[in-house]
Amino acid sequence: MTAPHLSADAGRLPPPDPTLSPYTGYTRAHWEAAADRLLAALRPYAGPGLAQYRLPGRTGHSGAWSDGLEGYARSFLLAAFRIAGSGGDVGPTLIERYATGLAAGVDPRHPEHWPPITDRSQPMVEAASVALALHETRPWIWDRLPDRTREMAVAWLGGFVGATANDSNWRLFQVITEEFLASVGGPYDRAEIDGGLDRLDDWYRGDGWYTDGDGRKFDYYNAWALHLYPVLWARVAGHRADPARVATHRARLREFLDSHQYFFGSDGAPVHQGRSLIYRYATAAPLWAGVLADATPLPPGRTRRLASGALKHFTDRQVPDEKGLLSLGWYRPHLPVTQPYSGPASPYWASKAFLGLLLPADHPVWTAPEEAGPVDTADRQLALPAPGWLLHSTAADGIVRLVNHGTDRLPPPPAASDDSPHYTGFAYSTATAPEIPPPGEPPGPDNRLALLAPTGPSRRGRIHPLYAEGRRAASWHTPLGPDGDERLRITTASVVRGPWEIRVHRVEAPAGTPVRAGGWAVACDDVPPLALTGEAWAVARRADGLTSALVGLFGWDDGTAEVARARGHNAYGDHSAVPVLTAPHPGGAQLLATLVVLTADPLVAADVRTGAGAVLVSDGTLEVRFPDGTPETVTPVPDPG
C-alpha cells in the first residue's frame, strides 16, 4: 500500500463561529482541521516504509531508533481519533499510511522495524499508543490487515508480557497493551493487568488526585495518564472489565474534573507546572474522557470551552510552528522545559487532546453553546489538600495562580532530597513559567525563599505539607545547599485574596545569613520587562502590562530590592525579570512577610504597595493586611508535630 502526501491546504482552520462558541469560536470542524494539519505536516518526515518518523530536533536519551517509533505511535493515536471519529470517512490515504507503517514496524526483517519491548524501555510507552490506536480503528485497519501482519503485531506487542515497567504511570501502558492483546486473542497475563490497576489504587490520595508513583508527585500526569488510561482501558476491555473497578475510576475522574476545570486561564492557557509540558493541550484530554465515560460534572458547553480554549491558546501563539510541527518547548523551542527522555516526536502526546473526536458530531459536547469556565465569571480560590495546592484566579485578567505547599516530585524518605524548578517553587500560573538556568548554575530566584552562601542559594527540596484549606496553605522545608544545615528550617504560610498572595515565613538561620525572596518571573521575546524598585519593594512589568511585584511587609527593613534579569531562562520568552528582596538574618527564628503579586489588571498594577502591611501581634503571629484593606492573622507553624 502507498500513502501519498496530504494536501498542503490540509488543516486550514474554518472561520470562527461566535454563536455556537462565543468564548473561543472553535467548533468540531476546527478540531478536525487542527488534527489534519498536524498529520499532514508529519508526512514528509516519515521513512519510505512509513514506520519511522524522524523529526528535526534533539534526540531523546533512548536514541533515534526509538524516537522514530515515537513519531509513528503518537501520531497514529491522533490519526486513530480522526479516523474513528469520522467513521472512517477520511479517504484511504490516512488509513493506508498507518496500516503500511504498522506492517513495516512490526516486521523484524524490515529496515524500519521497531525496537523490541524490553524491561523499562521507551517502546513500552509507545506500544500503548499503538494498541489504543489499533483498538479505536479496528474496523478500518486491524480487521483488514493480512494475517501475517497481525501475527507480527501481536508478537511485537507481546514483548510486554512478563516485562518490568517503571513503577509509575508506565504500569498503565502494560495494562492497555495486554488488554488489547487479550481482545485479539494474543498472549497476556491477567495478573499483570490487575496488578497495574491495583498499583493505581495505591497511588490514590483522595479528591480525585493520584500521585505518579510513590511520594508526592502531583502534576499533569494525573490528567493525561492516571485518569485517562483507566477510561481507555475500559473501552478496550469491554465486558472483561470489572464493573466495580470501572465505577471507581469514573467516580474519581468526576471528582478530579471538578477541580481540573480551575486550571485553565481565560485565554485557555493551562497552569505551567510539572514535567513533560511539551504535551501542551493534552491537559484537555481528561475533559473529553469524562464525557466518554459519563463521568463529568461539567456541562457540555463548558467542557468544549475549556478544551477548545487550550487548543486555541497555542494555535494563536504559532503552535504548531510554520512547518506545522510541535517543537520541544512551550511556545517556541525551549529545551530547558524538556526532560532527557524527550525526543523530537515526544510533543505528539498532545494527540490525546483530540480524544473528543471520538464523540459523535451530534453529541451535546459539540452542539451545545459554549459556557463560561470558572475563571471567566468571578474571582475564585480553591484549596486542594491532596497535592497541597491552593488555586486563586481573577476574572479581570483571567490569570490562574497555583500556590504550592505539597508537591516536590520526590520519592519517599530516605531517598535524597532534590530540587526542580517545575515542582518546588512556591507558585505557578497560566501567565508565567519558572526560571530554568543552564546546568551548573544556581536555581533562579523566582517564587523562592533562599539562604545565600558563597557557594550559592539554598534550595527548597523536600516539601512537608501542613495544611491547605479555605484561602490558606502551609508547609515547611529544610533549606538545602552545599553549606546546608539540616538543623535549619523554613516554615511558610500563604494566604490569598484576589490577585494577591501574602507569604509569611519563619526562617531559622545563623546571624548575618542573607535571606533572598523572589516574586514571579515575567518574560517576553521582544524587549526586556521594565524594572522599578524602592524601599523594600520591586516590580517587573512587561510591555503588555503583565506585572510581577514583591513588597516587603515585615522583616525587610534592612534589606535591598532589585529586579533580577536573565536571557534564555524562561519558556515564555527570551527576556525575563524577577523582583527580588534580600536582607540579613538576625539569627535564631525570624518572621518575614511579603506581598506577592501577579496581575494583568491595570487597576491592581497601578500601585501594588498602597494598603498592604503587617504587624506583630504576638510571638510568632502577624496580622497582615491586603491592599484592599482586608486583614488576616497568620501564624506559620514552627513544628509539624
Side-chain angles (χ1 to χ4, degrees):
M1 292 182 285
T2 60
H5 289 254
L6 298 181
S7 165
D9 291 331
R12 190 181 301 278
L13 292 181
D17 185 339
T19 301
L20 183 62
S21 302
Y23 290 91
T24 70
Y26 276 28
T27 64
R28 183 185 177 92
H30 290 80
W31 281 88
E32 291 174 339
D36 291 344
R37 181 188 181 194
L38 288 169
L39 290 166
L42 286 169
R43 176 59 183 85
Y45 299 94
L50 303 177
Q52 289 271 323
Y53 285 71
R54 300 292 179 91
L55 302 180
R58 184 200 68 191
T59 301
H61 72 176
S62 295
W65 189 20
S66 177
D67 288 348
L69 162 62
E70 193 168 64
Y72 174 91
R74 298 187 181 202
S75 62
F76 185 22
L77 193 61
L78 175 60
F81 297 152
R82 185 71 177 93
I83 293 165
S86 66
D89 188 19
V90 291
T93 301
L94 190 62
I95 295 171
E96 290 180 1
R97 173 175 156 187
Y98 282 93
T100 300
L102 177 77
V106 298
D107 184 350
R109 301 165 300 177
H110 196 282
E112 291 184 33
H113 73 276
W114 296 332
I117 298 169
T118 56
D119 290 350
R120 299 186 176 88
S121 64
Q122 186 64 31
M124 286 185 162
V125 184
E126 311 319 320
S129 291
V130 172
L132 285 169
L134 287 172
H135 170 77
E136 296 296 346
T137 61
R138 186 164 181 164
W140 305 281
I141 295 182
W142 181 262
D143 290 347
R144 300 180 182 181
L145 290 173
D147 289 344
R148 176 59 180 154
T149 299
R150 284 199 293 260
E151 290 169 3
M152 290 188 295
V154 166
W156 184 76
L157 293 169
F160 234 132
V161 181
T164 300
N166 292 329
D167 198 29
S168 64
N169 66 89
W170 282 43
R171 297 291 297 271
L172 298 179
F173 305 149
Q174 188 166 37
V175 167
I176 291 289
T177 304
E178 294 197 31
E179 195 65 69
F180 173 75
L181 287 168
S183 75
V184 296
Y188 69 97
D189 185 335
R190 182 57 60 185
E192 290 182 345
I193 296 172
D194 290 342
L197 295 171
D198 289 343
R199 196 72 179 107
L200 181 67
D201 290 339
D202 294 340
W203 299 327
Y204 189 63
R205 298 293 181 265
D207 300 325
W209 287 91
Y210 295 99
T211 174
D212 186 15
D214 293 334
R216 301 194 59 80
K217 302 174 182 178
F218 300 101
D219 54 28
Y220 283 120
Y221 277 83
N222 201 71
W224 56 47
L226 300 170
H227 276 293
L228 178 63
Y229 285 113
V231 169
L232 298 178
W233 163 75
R235 288 174 64 85
V236 176
H239 68 276
R240 295 183 304 277
D242 175 12
R245 196 189 289 272
V246 171
T248 296
H249 293 159
R250 288 175 173 170
R252 291 173 180 173
L253 175 57
R254 183 179 295 273
E255 283 191 279
F256 172 68
L257 291 175
D258 203 36
S259 59
H260 186 59
Q261 63 177 317
Y262 289 87
F263 281 71
F264 298 88
S266 63
D267 63 355
V271 172
H272 191 97
Q273 179 272 342
R275 67 190 175 99
S276 300
L277 291 172
I278 54 172
Y279 305 153
R280 300 174 171 100
Y281 41 72
T283 52
L287 298 168
W288 301 120
V291 181
L292 279 168
D294 190 21
T296 180
L298 310 182
R302 188 181 307 165
T303 291
R304 192 175 78 256
R305 183 268 179 274
L306 295 173
S308 292
L311 179 63
K312 185 176 188 295
H313 176 83
F314 288 98
T315 303
D316 289 350
R317 289 157 181 81
Q318 289 72 58
V319 178
D321 64 18
E322 67 280 358
K323 295 180 180 179
L325 300 178
L326 298 176
S327 67
L328 288 167
W330 185 245
Y331 301 136
R332 69 194 195 290
H334 186 68
L335 290 180
V337 82
T338 67
Q339 280 67 48
Y341 56 74
S342 303
S346 293
Y348 287 84
W349 246 27
S351 299
K352 296 178 178 184
F354 293 82
L355 183 69
L357 292 179
L358 293 178
L359 295 159
D362 60 357
H363 191 284
V365 80
W366 292 117
T367 61
E370 282 184 344
E371 295 186 29
V375 71
D376 294 324
T377 56
D379 292 359
R380 310 278 184 177
Q381 58 275 325
L382 177 69
L384 301 172
W389 288 344
L390 190 62
L391 293 175
H392 62 120
S393 63
T394 38
D397 55 16
I399 295 175
V400 179
R401 307 154 190 85
L402 182 158
V403 179
N404 176 31
H405 284 283
T407 297
D408 51 30
R409 203 172 185 276
L410 292 172
S417 188
D418 200 356
D419 191 272
S420 168
H422 282 103
Y423 288 93
T424 53
F426 276 112
Y428 301 92
S429 85
T430 56
T432 64
E435 295 282 88
I436 309 178
E441 292 191 14
D446 56 307
N447 279 311
R448 303 271 172 162
L449 187 83
L451 306 180
L452 304 184
T455 49
S458 67
R459 295 168 285 116
R460 194 177 183 193
R462 189 177 301 281
I463 299 171
H464 303 267
L466 297 173
Y467 58 82
E469 54 191 27
R471 295 188 294 111
R472 298 167 177 254
S475 63
W476 67 272
H477 71 277
T478 298
L480 303 174
D483 298 331
D485 185 340
E486 293 187 0
R487 295 171 298 177
L488 305 182
R489 177 175 292 178
I490 296 175
T491 306
T492 303
S494 296
V495 58
V496 300
R497 181 174 177 82
W500 305 296
E501 177 194 354
I502 291 180
R503 294 178 195 157
V504 178
H505 309 276
R506 184 183 187 274
V507 182
E508 301 172 36
T513 303
V515 182
R516 185 186 70 187
W520 297 89
V522 293
C524 53
D525 277 323
D526 41 13
V527 295
L530 174 70
L532 301 169
T533 59
E535 185 176 349
W537 63 268
V539 171
R541 180 171 294 145
R542 266 188 351 202
D544 64 358
L546 182 67
T547 299
S548 169
L550 189 66
V551 181
L553 303 181
F554 189 87
W556 299 98
D557 295 342
D558 297 326
T560 60
E562 62 177 320
V563 173
R565 298 185 180 276
R567 293 287 301 274
H569 290 191
N570 200 286
Y572 270 69
D574 184 48
H575 300 274
S576 56
V578 182
V580 173
L581 300 177
T582 307
H585 196 286
Q590 179 193 27
L591 289 182
L592 294 169
T594 55
L595 174 70
V596 188
V597 186
L598 176 69
T599 184
D601 182 350
L603 296 178
V604 174
D607 189 352
V608 297
R609 294 166 289 148
T610 301
V615 295
L616 187 67
V617 294
S618 65
D619 185 28
T621 299
L622 292 179
E623 182 177 284
V624 299
R625 186 176 63 255
F626 285 98
D628 65 356
T630 301
E632 297 278 354
T633 300
V634 182
T635 305
V637 180
D639 187 344

